[in-house]
Amino acid sequence: QVQLQESGPGLVRPSQTLSLTCIVSGDSISSRNDYWSWIRQPAGKGLEWIGHMYASGSPTYNPSLKSRVTISVDTSKNQFSLKLRSVTAADTAVYYCARAPFYDILSLDVWGKGTTVTVSS
Amino acid sequence: QSVLTQPPSASGAPGQRVAISCSGSSSNIENRFVYWFQQFPGTAPRLLMYKNNQRPSGVPDRFSGSKSGTTASLAISGLRSEDEADYYCAAWDDSLSAQVFGPGTKVTVL
């Protein structure tokens, strides 16, 4: 059973880059034809899809964040990452990583527990 | 401002049936599959329904999904106290080229 765990700094300064990693355990990320996603949720608010990536393909990003986001997969470390540049307080949220099978990319059936990121000076 | 619309809240007594709507448009719900997620406070969302009306293993058959035109619905029959949670619909939006979520509906068991 695949499990996901987010890791990264809980505090990021405004204008800096938010960097998070999602560690995949229970199976090899390179042996799975899955989509690896990032979703975020500001406190008390709804879910926002950030983007996803197929292990051997190109990422797809939310157009509202596309200019600031990079999602990448590191098969050697069995993890995938999120970088969000030029952050502001509006980027403060719980960030989740999730996976979906290649044949149904919206079926986010495995989620990490989430990590809280606060943007503040 | 989400392109999918959900009522902010829904409630029912134990044993009753509650239905949550998710309204969209031709660029999402009408021509795409709808997904539903359940989220308890302080926890990650859980996939509750996929491809409009398919339940992942482990999801009770008290939960059912449907879709007609630009509106999808999630119904919970035989409401139980452990069903108190936030419920989000989701779909792919062809105009935005993005996955979109509804704003969520908080279900309360009276």
Side-chain angles (χ1 to χ4, degrees):
Chain A
Q1 176 75 347
V2 173
Q3 293 183 308
L4 307 178
Q5 177 65 58
E6 304 88 351
S7 66
L11 179 65
V12 181
R13 305 300 183 191
S15 81
Q16 299 301 303
T17 297
L18 179 161
S19 295
L20 296 175
T21 297
C22 183
I23 300 169
V24 180
S25 60
D27 204 345
S28 169
I29 198 171
S30 60
S31 70
R32 304 185 65 90
N33 294 323
D34 294 335
Y35 276 85
W36 307 99
S37 303
W38 288 97
I39 297 100
R40 69 181 182 178
Q41 184 174 35
K45 297 187 177 181
L47 301 165
E48 180 180 30
W49 175 74
I50 298 172
H52 61 219
M53 182 169 182
Y54 185 67
S56 57
S58 300
T60 302
Y61 302 128
N62 189 323
S64 68
L65 298 169
K66 187 175 182 177
S67 64
R68 299 193 291 132
V69 172
T70 300
I71 293 175
S72 60
V73 173
D74 188 335
T75 55
S76 67
K77 296 182 178 179
N78 220 42
Q79 64 187 37
F80 61 106
S81 301
L82 168 70
K83 292 188 184 300
L84 182 64
R85 297 174 290 279
S86 304
V87 298
T88 68
D91 296 311
T92 294
V94 176
Y95 285 75
Y96 296 100
C97 59
R99 83 113 212 191
F102 73 94
Y103 51 82
D104 193 3
I105 64 174
L106 268 65
S107 270
L108 298 165
D109 60 355
V110 180
W111 292 67
K113 292 183 178 180
T115 187
T116 299
V117 178
T118 301
V119 178
S120 176
S121 54
Chain B
Q1 191 102 1
S2 177
V3 297
L4 302 181
T5 303
Q6 295 180 240
S9 63
S11 62
Q16 285 189 333
R17 179 181 183 274
V18 167
I20 303 166
S21 62
C22 176
S23 297
S25 68
S26 58
S27 66
N28 43 66
I29 290 179
E30 186 169 35
N31 295 297
R32 290 287 185 173
F33 288 123
V34 177
Y35 300 75
W36 291 90
F37 297 87
Q38 177 190 54
Q39 186 180 34
F40 298 105
T43 69
R46 165 201 183 194
L47 180 66
L48 196 67
M49 199 72 60
Y50 65 98
K51 291 187 176 180
N52 301 334
N53 56 15
Q54 302 299 302
R55 286 187 308 275
S57 61
V59 174
D61 59 6
R62 301 185 294 104
F63 293 89
S64 61
S66 63
K67 188 183 85 168
S68 179
T70 59
T71 301
S73 293
L74 175 73
I76 311 172
S77 59
L79 197 61
R80 304 175 68 163
S81 59
E82 57 259 40
D83 298 332
E84 276 206 349
D86 294 322
Y87 294 83
Y88 295 90
C89 60
W92 185 263
D93 188 284
D94 290 319
S95 296
L96 297 174
S97 294
Q99 178 177 356
V100 291
F101 288 94
T105 297
K106 182 176 182 60
V107 169
T108 301
V109 182
L110 302 172

